[in-house]
Structure formats: structure tokens, C-alpha cells
Amino acid sequence: MEQGTKEANAHQLTLPIEGMSCASCVRTVEGALDNLSGVEKATVNLAGGKVSVVYDPTRVNVAKVTQAITDLGYAIGVEEARLRVTGMTCASCVSHVETALRELEGVQNAVVNLGLETARVAYIPGLVTPGRMKRAIREAGYEAEEKAAGVEALDREKEARQREIRRQGMYLAFTLPIAMLVMLGTFRDMWILPLFVPEWLGYKWVLGLLTTPIVLGPGRQFFVNSWRGLRHGVTDMNLLYATGIGAAYLIAVINTLWPKAGFGGEGATFFESAALLTTFIVLGRWLEALTRGRTSEAIRKLMRLQPKRARILRDGHEIEIPADEVEVDDVVLVRPGEQVAVDGVVLEGYSAVDESMLTGESLPVEKKAGDQAIGGTMNKTGAFKYRATRVGQETALAQIIKLVEDAQASKAPIQKLADWVAGHFILGVHMLAALVFVFWFFAGYDLFFDPDSAFILSPYKLGEIGVFGFSLLLSVTVLVISCPCAVGLATPSAIMAGAGKAAEHGVLFKNAEAIENASKLQTIIFDKTGTLTKGEPSVTDVVTPDGGPETEDGRLSVLRLAAIAEKNSEHPLGEAIVRGAQARGLQVPDAESFNAIPGHGVEARVDGREILLGNRKLMRERDAVVAPLLPQAEALERDGKTVMFVAVGGRLAGLIAVADTLKEYSVEAIQWLHRSGVEVAMITGDNRRTAEAIARQVGIDRVLAEVLPQDKAEEVKKLQAQGLKVAMVGDGVNDAPALAQADVGMAIGSGTDVAKETGHVILIKEDLRDVVVAIEAAKATMGKVRQNLFWAFAYNTLSIPIGAGLLYPVFKLVVSPEWAAFLMAVSSITVTVNTLLMRSFVPSIRREERRQQAAQRPLVVAATASGGK
Amino acid sequence: MEQLEREVAIRSAATYAGISLAAALAVFIAATLKGGYADVARFGGAIWVFMLMMIVTMPVVTSWFKKRYRQRRTG
């Protein structure tokens, strides 16, 4: 914080600096700052990573000081504050709060989310505090508090929403019946109404008496809120409402008390306009409060998953404690039907755990000693003990919640235009209202006014309304009919729903830009090892020669002998053979003797027989003839497999092929991508022959082989230079530069450590089909964004000119303020309801899965039934 | 600091109120010169335009003055 020093003009500030490592850094920073005109003294504290600067604020500002530091290659330590902001009603409020925050010295960036009612502020500690930010928000006419985390935040948010729903619901219950009475009274001379509407209800002063409590009661909120904003020089939707309601009510009062005042006389008392206008706006607010919470349903679901209690072992006793009190290394017990409290590693026990809520995996996952347990998931049948490894905000669930919240609160590039429009909307509409008034007041009324003209969808004639009344009416209608809310809500509400929906299916978008980019992808590059393939070799083929034991038993016998020979080998291929034998249920005892022949293979004695396992060269040297299996060996090698010959007692017994194998869903995922018209490529450091063999198996036709890890990003760049939108799918470790370079970097199989991954999208499971899920979710989200934006812009583009009387010269019809209010409310709700349709989004792969499961269910039931007999 | 902020507030208030009054006055004079408008229409029209112009100019002028004040402060 700036503090005055002894010298009258000098200020002092302390800035956190990142990246200083030695005394030379200290000299560099101090030297650069001392050279800055206006800086009197700069002192760096290396241990504390801070610089204290005494400066003359009339000659240099904080921005120049920070610029000088960042120009040197150091970073200013920026922290993030999360605030909960209430009282915002529309997109222009978002712009006001963001402006109020960004104007504070030390605030680097501020992003406000209307739907979540949050502000994320990046700031330089020491220059500004969250307390100062809250004050700035309050000064702008809104309420702010520091955002609570997790369940507490959920509870508070829910409570506030319920309060708003109750408040607007009560207002609605009060205004609706009275507004109906006012309408009946206004139109009592029409149709069959005189038969049952008493005459006194049509008296102007009765209508005035009924309307006044509506305007001064539920309508008061708009006047109070707009005044609060105006005091701080900001305008929002409340002002549009207040001017609309106020003008309609005032004209009605004037026409009742002074009918000759020139506002249209007694025939033009707009009490019903003021009453219905208030009612429709309150209805809109109520519906908005009801629906707004639902777009953030996904995050609510995730937060609700946070376990409340945990059963742990302490000093040999089983005790139950709050889940947030579990510490790392505590032993946690989980019984059937209980929730896993925190992340950890299973120590003992066996169970199946439903992880669908976090990974989207529909089938329960087996848990045995050594497996990872994820907090928030639901244990099904068995019981197990596990050791806590991550607790509190470190758990996978907490990280996922944070990532989803961040993505929901971020802004997509497409939002820039909408933000600009929404930010200038209120002023623009008021300017337009002034122009409309001036036009009709000085020219339009004389040229076009017809006393027989009427309101749209109303038998109510304009009658003898004067030039001022008519011009004011159209001017007010422009204010009321315009709807910046729809423009402002179009993108963030869809992003919120889309990011949440994707998270439900195990796909985490880190920000809205990633969603937008993922919806436009043309090329997807897959890393080979560890992404398309399992990343470790395994036995793929065992072949025996003609005349040999060419049965399953014969092949297993060859594999068993090879495994015994390789049992003590540390070579990856040897380990693969041992694993392959064990996976086929073979016993692998120790060999009687073992000798590794570097670069060639191994020799061993098993059951008194000499076993030789290795390449052609080894066989040639030991006079074992490989010719009978040479054609098969060459064919396997063409498929990218490594072939090892097995000789027993100097005679060829068979060959074993080992290769890195494809992951379970690789082929399926590539097929889906091909069908959706995306070009698929594979990138690998392997030689071209092996790479092409894998590409053939998986169905990829573009292969980027022999690419070093550091050159992968260059390959991505080359494709981008061709104008393609490129995604890179990798395991997030050695692919980090390529993931960062791609338009969308997808880190796959991140398991529980989601926050540490590079890339813009994290696929929680090791299921490549989630790439398709990510693309489909992004396309669905951006589809909603485009629909919402189209609706919002189309509505305003059409409604505002009609409200301004553009059609009046031809049709002699004007929109009444109450209809204007109704249309405005409907427009805003339409955007939210359209977004809510995202709730039914199911990726095509999941739909297919469900269809298959449903088709299999009768068979399983039938099999169980017959088994039971 | 507070003194300067007050100065900014006063200057911007004087400016936006002045612009709005000028616009309102223009409407009033134009209506009077054109003739045929009742007093209520002339005064009402001027007040309505004044209100709308206040709403339009208040945030624009205030933020313009604030920006100028900040620029001046940093030289």
C-alpha cells in the first residue's frame, strides 16, 4: 500500500517480484528502477522476493514501475481475489463492476460473471486489497463479499437465490391481481366487460389508487436501484424500468388531475400501462431468479458431491470426523454404500466404486490394494481401507470444481462483441429515446399522427393524445422494449451450461476460449505412445513352425519357456514376455541357469533343456535355422512388431512378437472423428515403419513420424500455418510444448491430478472417445451461444425500431409500454430457457453406449433366469 | 487525493448538467420558435430531454474527467 514518506511528495510502494534468483538480479532490478525518472530509491529484498520503491507520483506512476520490472524479464507477483457480487441485474451491471475494479490501482484484470454472481480479480498485493475492491463495488451501487468456498458457498448462493425468488414471488402475488383489476377497469366499456365489471372500477381515480401501491411498492426497487447507480454515474436496466414506469405513471396522474394538460386527456390515462409494466418486469425478474440458478447446475452437482463426514482409524480406534479434518496419511475406512471422503491409495479390501459423477464412466470401477480412491465417489458393494494422500483443496474433486468454476467464469472471444454492445446498450438506448422523442415532437406527430390509431393487440385508441404525450409514449416504449439482458446473458449462460455439462462427462475445459476453439477444429493430432497406444510393449503373437506343436497348447508352451528364460531379464521386451505369460495364466518358475547376451537375446536352461531367445543374428550364430518362420517374421515386422525367435535344444521352436498395443477405444474414437469430418494425424518419435503400422491398425492416414519431442510443437505450427485449427491430444508430459502450441491442447488420462496438466482441455479418463465428447460438447455449447446471440440481436434489432414507431406511418399502430415490457421479459427468459435445453445434451458416444447396454440387458436377464433354473 | 476527487466530481457534474441543460433549452427554444405547442408540451419536452441527456452524459463525462485526472497525475 502506498504510504507517504518524510518528503512531502514521495510515495512508497512494495511490489512482489517473481523470478529473482541471485544478487545480480537484485542489482538489475534496483538499477533499472533507479534509472526511472521519478523513482527516488529502489530496494530489493531477495529473500522476501519484494522491491520497495520510493517515488514521486507526479513524475512516475505504478504502471511505469511495474513495466520497468516486467521489461527485465521478471514477473510481478499477482494474486487472485474471488468476490461474490450481488445486486447485478444485467450485462451492463457486469461492465460497471468490471470498470470499477479495473480502475483501482493494482488491479490487473477483473472478470465478472453475472450468472455465478462472482468477480475474479487479478491484483498486485500491496497495491490494493480485497477490502478496497469490495468498497469500489459498493460505491458502484452493488454489494460484495469475499466468496466462500465449497459447500458454504453453495449454501449461501442458494439462500440468496431463494430470497430473491421469494421476494419477487411476493411482489408478483401482490401486483398481478391488482394489475388485472386495473386492466379490467380500463377496458370495462369494451366487449362483454360491462356485464360484470362494476362501473366504479373504471373511474380514473380508482385506477390511480390501485396503481399507486404497485408503483410505490414492488416498483420502488427499480427507482431505488437506478438512483443508487446514478449517484455513482452508472446506468443499468433498472433505469430503463424506472423511466418507463415513472413516465407512464406520471402521465396517467397528470391526465387524471389535469385532463387539459395536453397529454391526451382522460382518454389516455396509462395507469394500466404503469401497473402491467411493473408486473411484467417483476414477472421477468422472478422467472430469471428461478432459471438463472439452473444454468450453473453442474457446479452445484459437483459441490454437492463433497463428502461431509469420514470414518478414520486413529490410535487403533475408529472415529467419525468432518471430511475436511482428514489429514494426509490418515487411514480412512469405507463401507458399502458410503462415500469416499478424500483421495488416497487403497491399503486393503476389495470393492467396486461408482466414479461416474467425476469421470463419466458408467460402470463401477474395481478397487483393490494399490489402486487410487477418489474423494466424492460412491462405494458400492465391498469395504476397504485406504491411506489419504490428498485432502481439502488438493483433492481431485476440489480441483475439478475449481477448473469448472474458472471455465464458467471466463469469457469466450465471441463474447467481446456482445460485451461491447451490452456495455454501451443502456446509454445508446437512452440516446435513441431522446432522438425518437425529438423526431416525433418536432416532425413525426404533425406528419403522421392519426387520432384513430391504436396500440398493437389492444382496442385502446390513442384518441386526443397531444404531441408531447405521443412523443413521450414512443420514447418510453423504446426504453422499455430494449433488452440488453438477452445480449449480455447469451454467451456466459451457454458457456456456464456447456462447461458444466462437459465436466459431467469427464471433460474439463480450462476456459471458454478452449470451448470456442474446440468447436472449430479441423485437424486432430494424436501422440502415439501412451495416448493411442498403452505405452508399454506386450506379447501380440506366438507362432510355431510347420510340423511343430501348432496348437494353443504348443504356443503356450513356447511362451512359457520364453518367459522362464526371460524371468530374470530387466529388458522391457523380456518383461513384456513374462507379463504376457502370466496374463495367460502360465506359471513362470526360475530358470536353472540364465545368461543375457547383450544386443542379441538370452540363453537359459529350463527343465534340463537349452533355451535360446533372441534375434536372427543370435540364431545364426548358434546354428538354429529360422527359415521356416522367416515369412511370418517379416510380415510381423512390417506391422511394426519386434520379433524374437525361440530355439529349444538348438532347434527352432517358434517366434514371439512383441509390440506396443492400442488402447481399448483408440480405433472407435478415430472412426467417430473420421465420421464427423475431422482430419486425424498421428505424431511420434518412432521410425516410420512402426508408426505406419500403428496408424494402419488404428485407421489414421496422416503420419508424422521420427519427430523429436521438442519438434512436435513445430509440426503443430506447420499445420496451423496452413490455416487449420489444430488440436493436439497427448499425455501431457513430454507433449507439453505441442499441447500449448495447439489451438486446443487435450491432456488425456490425467486421472486425479487434473490441475497440474498442460493443455486447454483435460480428459479425466484414459478413454480416447472423450476427445469426441469434448468436440461434441464444444459444438453444442457454441451452437447455443450462436442461437442466443442471434435471438438477442434479432430481437433488439426488430423490436427497438418498432417501439420507436417505425411502422406507425404505414400501419398507424404503436406498441403499448406494457406489451413492450412483456416482450422484453420474454426475450430475456428465452435466452435462459434456450440455454437450459443444454441439460439434455448427451454425447453421441454415450448415447450409443446406453443403447448397447439397453440391448444387452434382456440377454443378461435371460441368462440369469436360465442359470437360476 | 479526496480534494482532487471532489474537484473531478464537481467539474464533471457541472459539465454534464450544462450539456443536458443546453439540450433541454434547445428543445424549449425550438418548440417556442416553431409555435403551436402548449406550455406543458414545451416544458415537459424540455424536462424529458434534460433527464435523458443527464442519463446519457453523466457516465460518459464522469469517466472522461476521471481519465484526464489520472493522466494529469502521472504526468
Side-chain angles (χ1 to χ4, degrees):
Chain A
M1 196 159 295
E2 293 180 46
Q3 293 154 4
T5 63
K6 285 174 190 169
E7 291 169 59
N9 252 347
H11 277 53
Q12 186 184 332
L13 70 91
T14 306
L15 293 170
I17 303 183
E18 290 171 359
M20 291 190 299
S21 54
C22 60
S24 129
C25 299
V26 173
R27 277 199 301 279
T28 312
V29 173
E30 285 181 349
L33 291 177
D34 284 336
N35 285 339
L36 211 59
S37 165
V39 170
E40 288 165 16
K41 193 170 186 236
T43 316
V44 170
N45 173 350
L46 180 63
K50 284 179 181 159
V51 62
S52 168
V53 187
V54 179
Y55 68 104
D56 179 355
T58 59
R59 292 168 61 206
V60 68
N61 63 3
V62 178
K64 280 184 184 161
V65 173
T66 55
Q67 184 66 46
I69 297 168
T70 50
D71 282 350
L72 294 170
Y74 302 101
I76 303 292
V78 176
E79 286 186 7
E80 192 179 82
R82 286 164 182 252
L83 304 173
R84 187 172 134 69
V85 185
T86 49
M88 295 188 295
T89 51
C90 63
S92 58
C93 302
V94 171
S95 150
H96 296 147
V97 176
E98 284 181 352
T99 309
L101 288 167
R102 283 177 189 155
E103 278 181 354
L104 292 175
E105 197 165 51
V107 168
Q108 304 266 298
N109 193 24
V111 181
V112 172
N113 186 299
L114 177 65
L116 292 174
E117 295 186 320
T118 57
R120 273 198 311 160
V121 191
Y123 70 101
I124 301 171
L127 287 182
V128 65
T129 60
R132 178 70 192 90
M133 294 170 206
K134 285 189 273 181
R135 209 166 74 220
I137 294 172
R138 283 193 199 109
E139 282 168 1
Y142 306 92
E143 282 304 315
E145 60 185 44
E146 275 181 64
K147 195 172 177 295
V151 181
E152 195 191 337
L154 180 70
D155 292 345
R156 271 201 224 169
E157 193 198 339
K158 195 175 163 189
E159 208 178 281
R161 203 174 299 287
Q162 292 297 336
R163 237 188 351 255
E164 179 68 2
I165 292 170
R166 268 199 307 275
R167 193 165 78 109
Q168 300 300 348
M170 259 163 49
Y171 285 160
L172 191 63
F174 176 74
T175 57
L176 195 62
I178 302 179
M180 288 298 141
L181 282 179
V182 174
M183 208 166 83
L184 284 174
T186 306
F187 300 113
R188 85 160 290 281
D189 296 335
M190 290 166 190
W191 198 40
I192 53 165
L193 295 182
L195 294 176
F196 58 91
V197 179
E199 195 182 345
W200 56 265
L201 195 60
Y203 295 161
K204 300 301 169 198
W205 60 270
V206 173
L207 296 177
L209 274 179
L210 287 170
T211 305
T212 304
I214 295 180
V215 174
L216 299 183
R220 188 171 167 272
Q221 58 179 322
F222 309 120
F223 294 96
V224 171
N225 290 343
S226 50
W227 172 242
R228 209 183 278 165
L230 273 178
R231 272 195 314 164
H232 300 286
V234 293
T235 53
D236 61 12
M237 279 299 282
N238 288 299
L239 190 63
L240 293 180
Y241 302 150
T243 40
I245 296 168
Y249 181 71
L250 267 179
I251 295 173
V253 170
I254 291 170
N255 276 343
T256 306
L257 299 177
W258 302 283
K260 306 278 179 215
F263 284 84
E266 282 188 348
T269 53
F270 298 121
F271 281 121
E272 93 289 353
S273 285
L276 285 173
L277 190 56
T278 314
T279 308
F280 284 137
I281 295 167
V282 170
L283 172 72
R285 283 273 164 100
W286 181 67
L287 287 174
E288 221 173 277
L290 276 180
T291 51
R292 196 190 284 171
R294 297 199 182 153
T295 51
S296 56
E297 199 171 322
I299 198 83
R300 254 171 253 279
K301 271 190 197 166
L302 283 171
M303 283 180 172
R304 266 187 226 119
L305 288 178
Q306 287 183 324
K308 291 193 168 55
R309 311 288 297 172
R311 200 190 313 279
I312 63 161
L313 272 183
R314 283 227 176 121
D315 304 324
H317 298 289
E318 191 181 311
I319 54 168
E320 200 179 290
I321 59 168
D324 53 11
E325 287 177 20
V326 177
E327 289 170 14
V328 171
D329 286 337
D330 274 343
V331 175
V332 188
L333 309 170
V334 188
R335 289 179 186 157
E338 280 184 352
Q339 212 178 4
V340 178
V342 293
D343 295 358
V345 180
V346 177
L347 296 173
E348 60 178 79
Y350 177 83
S351 187
V353 174
D354 178 5
E355 294 183 348
S356 60
M357 58 290 280
L358 290 186
T359 64
E361 174 63 62
S362 55
L363 296 173
V365 181
E366 280 183 23
K367 296 288 167 189
K368 55 186 186 307
D371 287 344
Q372 287 267 335
I374 311 173
T377 54
M378 186 58 76
N379 183 31
K380 304 290 271 187
T381 47
F384 62 92
K385 273 183 201 171
Y386 72 98
R387 184 175 59 81
T389 53
R390 262 185 289 214
V391 297
Q393 293 308 302
E394 297 297 311
T395 61
L397 177 59
Q399 290 174 4
I400 289 170
I401 289 172
K402 187 173 177 299
L403 273 180
V404 177
E405 273 189 323
D406 286 352
Q408 289 184 333
S410 63
K411 289 185 179 179
I414 199 172
Q415 200 176 336
K416 276 182 192 152
L417 171 69
D419 269 359
W420 187 88
V421 172
H424 296 80
F425 199 95
I426 310 281
L427 286 186
V429 167
H430 275 89
M431 195 71 217
L432 191 67
L435 291 175
V436 166
F437 178 82
V438 168
F439 169 77
W440 288 103
F441 191 72
F442 286 112
Y445 184 83
D446 290 343
L447 289 172
F448 307 114
F449 183 71
D450 178 353
D452 284 335
S453 53
F455 288 114
I456 290 173
L457 295 175
S458 163
Y460 198 34
K461 299 274 182 224
L462 289 171
E464 292 169 12
I465 192 168
V467 61
F468 176 56
F470 186 71
S471 311
L472 188 64
L473 179 77
L474 291 174
S475 183
V476 167
T477 305
V478 167
L479 294 179
V480 175
I481 207 166
S482 58
C483 186
C485 284
V487 179
L489 278 175
T491 310
S493 64
I495 293 288
M496 206 188 295
K501 206 68 205 172
E504 273 180 30
H505 292 283
V507 175
L508 301 175
F509 285 98
K510 281 194 175 171
N511 52 47
E513 194 177 351
I515 299 180
E516 189 170 337
N517 284 341
S519 72
K520 297 177 188 164
L521 288 176
Q522 293 158 300
T523 302
I524 300 185
I525 307 174
F526 284 89
D527 166 53
K528 183 183 85 72
T529 313
T531 303
L532 282 171
T533 66
K534 289 175 183 161
E536 57 177 27
S538 50
V539 173
T540 57
D541 306 84
V542 180
V543 185
T544 51
D546 290 341
E550 233 200 307
T551 59
E552 185 59 24
D553 284 347
R555 280 192 285 270
L556 286 177
S557 164
V558 169
L559 181 61
R560 179 177 164 273
L561 290 172
I564 295 169
E566 289 279 16
K567 192 176 179 189
N568 294 314
S569 163
E570 288 177 355
H571 195 280
L573 297 179
E575 286 173 353
I577 291 173
V578 176
R579 269 200 312 276
Q582 285 167 341
R584 288 163 177 83
L586 300 173
Q587 293 293 323
V588 186
D590 284 332
E592 291 150 21
S593 67
F594 166 81
N595 178 34
I597 309 161
H600 292 76
V602 296
E603 59 182 334
R605 176 172 282 278
V606 178
D607 302 334
R609 291 182 289 177
E610 284 297 331
I611 308 292
L612 205 57
L613 176 71
N615 55 19
R616 286 185 186 82
K617 203 173 169 197
L618 178 67
M619 296 295 145
R620 221 175 11 248
E621 281 173 6
R622 302 296 175 93
D623 296 326
V625 182
V626 296
L629 286 178
L630 216 48
Q632 290 96 321
E634 283 168 356
L636 290 167
E637 281 169 346
R638 272 197 299 277
D639 283 344
K641 296 173 182 175
T642 304
V643 172
M644 282 175 289
F645 295 92
V646 184
V648 179
R651 280 174 59 91
L652 184 70
L655 68 78
I656 295 174
V658 172
D660 190 3
T661 51
L662 292 175
K663 280 186 184 168
E664 194 180 356
Y665 297 114
S666 296
V667 175
E668 203 182 326
I670 304 301
Q671 280 171 352
W672 278 93
L673 288 172
H674 277 311
R675 274 204 293 274
S676 59
V678 181
E679 189 197 15
V680 185
M682 185 184 82
I683 197 163
T684 177
D686 283 359
N687 63 66
R688 182 153 289 280
R689 197 177 65 171
T690 311
E692 281 177 350
I694 290 285
R696 264 198 308 279
Q697 288 173 38
V698 79
I700 290 177
D701 34 34
R702 186 167 187 167
V703 180
L704 306 166
E706 293 161 26
V707 182
L708 297 171
Q710 60 268 33
D711 295 334
K712 284 183 180 174
E714 273 307 309
E715 293 295 332
V716 174
K717 248 189 221 173
K718 278 183 201 164
L719 289 169
Q720 287 172 321
Q722 293 169 25
L724 297 168
K725 279 268 176 201
V726 181
M728 168 80 198
V729 186
D731 56 13
V733 184
N734 61 350
D735 303 316
L739 289 172
Q741 173 61 40
D743 297 291
V744 181
M746 297 192 192
I748 193 161
S750 310
T752 55
D753 205 4
V754 290
K756 289 180 186 163
E757 290 296 345
T758 319
H760 314 99
V761 181
I762 291 170
L763 311 177
I764 300 177
K765 286 177 292 170
E766 284 212 29
D767 185 342
L768 274 191
R769 295 177 305 173
D770 284 350
V771 174
V772 184
V773 173
I775 292 172
E776 286 184 350
K779 281 188 175 168
T781 306
M782 293 317 292
K784 279 279 167 262
V785 168
R786 276 187 285 273
Q787 287 164 16
N788 286 349
L789 282 177
F790 173 79
W791 167 254
F793 280 113
Y795 167 80
N796 282 296
T797 313
L798 285 174
S799 67
I800 294 176
I802 292 172
L806 191 73
L807 302 180
Y808 184 79
V810 182
F811 299 105
K812 302 295 177 200
L813 287 168
V814 290
V815 183
S816 61
E818 60 262 37
W819 266 105
F822 179 74
L823 290 174
M824 185 275 300
V826 167
S827 167
S828 180
I829 297 297
T830 306
V831 165
T832 318
V833 169
N834 186 42
T835 299
L836 286 179
L837 295 179
M838 269 293 285
R839 293 166 76 188
S840 61
F841 166 79
V842 180
S844 53
I845 277 179
R846 299 274 183 278
R847 276 201 306 271
E848 181 69 16
E849 246 177 24
R850 284 178 195 175
R851 201 184 55 76
Q852 283 173 1
Q853 279 169 8
Q856 279 168 3
R857 211 165 291 139
L859 296 177
V860 175
V861 171
T864 319
S866 61
K869 284 174 193 171
Chain B
M1 189 84 117
E2 271 182 17
Q3 175 68 26
L4 273 171
E5 276 176 7
R6 235 177 48 203
E7 196 187 310
V8 167
I10 291 168
R11 280 189 182 201
S12 40
T15 309
Y16 59 70
I19 296 171
S20 307
L21 266 176
L25 205 64
V27 168
F28 185 82
I29 291 169
T32 308
L33 290 177
K34 194 182 169 209
Y37 291 93
D39 285 349
V40 173
R42 282 187 300 147
F43 282 103
I47 292 170
W48 182 243
V49 168
F50 174 76
M51 270 177 57
L52 291 178
M53 288 310 289
M54 280 287 278
I55 291 167
V56 172
T57 52
M58 195 186 280
V60 177
V61 170
T62 310
S63 78
W64 184 79
F65 267 99
K66 273 188 186 168
K67 212 177 279 174
R68 231 182 71 158
Y69 152 75
R70 269 202 303 273
Q71 276 170 358
R72 227 179 47 194
R73 233 183 94 203
T74 56

